[in-house]
Amino acid sequence: DGSGDFTTLTAWRDSLPATLTEPEICQIKGTITETVSFGKITSAANYVEFRAFPGQEHTGTPGTGAQWIGGGNGRCLESGGKNFRFVNLELVSNGIEAPTAFASAASGATLLVSNCIMRAPSMTGTAALCAYGATTMSAVLENSIFISGARCMDSRNVGSMTVRNCTWWSLTDQLVVIAGPKTDFKNCYAGRVGGTQQVWSNASTPTGSHNASSDTTATARFPTSSIN
C-alpha cells in the first residue's frame, strides 16, 4: 500500500543477496498485482517466505486480507528458486495459469502453504491449481483453501507431501484431487460444483483418514473414518 520498505516484490527480491544466508521474509500489505521470478540460491534452512502483514490476515473469505494477485497469465511466483513458504496470504490468478509454479520444482525443493487461500477461477481443462511433480520435493499444506476452475491438485510424483485441514473446491466437472502414495491427507474436504468426475481420483493411492468429499470417493480412497 506504499507504506512499506518496498512498493514492489521485484524491488524486494533485488535487494537480497544472490545466495541466502538466513530466511528472508516478505510481509505483504494490502493488494499487490505482480509476477515475480526468483532465481536466488536458497536452502531448506535459508528459505523465502511470503506472508500477510500482521493484522491483514484473511478471515477464511476471499478478499478479507492481504492479496497477491498474479499479473499477465495469472502467475504470482514463476519458476525459479526452490524453498518457499506462504503464510496467512491470499494468492489469486485471474488468468489461465496457477498462482505458483511447482510442477517441475528443483531437486530438494521444500514448500509450506499455511493458512492461505489460493484461487484460480479462470483455469480450464486438466491443469491443476497445485501441481507438484518433483520426486525429491517435500511439501506441507495446512489449514488452507484451494479453489480452481480446473483440477485442484496433482501430486502423483511428489517426493513427500503432508496435507492437513485443507479444503479443495473445483468450479467445474473435473477430477478434484489426484495424489500418489507419498501424499498423506487428514481432516480434508474435497468437492466440486457438480458433474460426474471423481473428487478423489481412482488413479490415486494416497494415505490418510478423516477426510470427506461431495461424492463417495472419500470412503473409497480413505476407508478409515472418512465420510461423504
Side-chain angles (χ1 to χ4, degrees), residues 2 6 12 16 19 21 25 43 48 55 71 106-107 117 133-134 151 158 171 174 189 193 209 216:
F6 301 93
W12 172 78
L16 304 178
T19 300
T21 58
I25 299 174
S43 67
V48 175
S107 175
I117 298 174
R151 294 176 176 178
V158 74
L171 301 172
Q174 280 288 350
Y189 177 80
V193 294
S209 65
T216 61

Side-chain angles (χ1 to χ4, degrees), residues 5 21 31 40 46 49 54 68 72 74 81 106 117 121 140 158 166 175 185 187 198 211-214 216 218 226:
D5 296 322
T21 58
T31 298
K40 308 291 185 178
N46 301 314
E49 181 174 309
W68 181 1
I117 298 174
V140 175
V158 74
C166 289
L175 300 174
F185 294 88
N187 303 320
Q198 294 171 324
N211 298 295
S213 64
S214 61
T216 61
S226 292

Side-chain angles (χ1 to χ4, degrees), residues 61-63 67 69 74 90-94 97-99 117-123 129 145-149:
T61 300
Q67 288 184 314
I69 301 175
E90 182 178 357
L91 297 103
V92 183
S93 167
N94 290 319
E97 300 286 353
I117 298 174
M118 190 176 293
R119 298 191 291 121
S122 297
M123 287 184 69
L129 172 64
I145 300 169
F146 303 88
I147 303 170
S148 175

Side-chain angles (χ1 to χ4, degrees), residues 10 20 32-33 64 74 84-87 97 130 137 176 178 201 213:
T10 299
L20 302 192
I32 190 164
T33 300
T64 58
F84 291 101
R85 300 184 178 191
F86 302 91
V87 181
E97 300 286 353
C130 300
M137 182 180 185
V176 180
I178 311 171
S201 170
S213 64

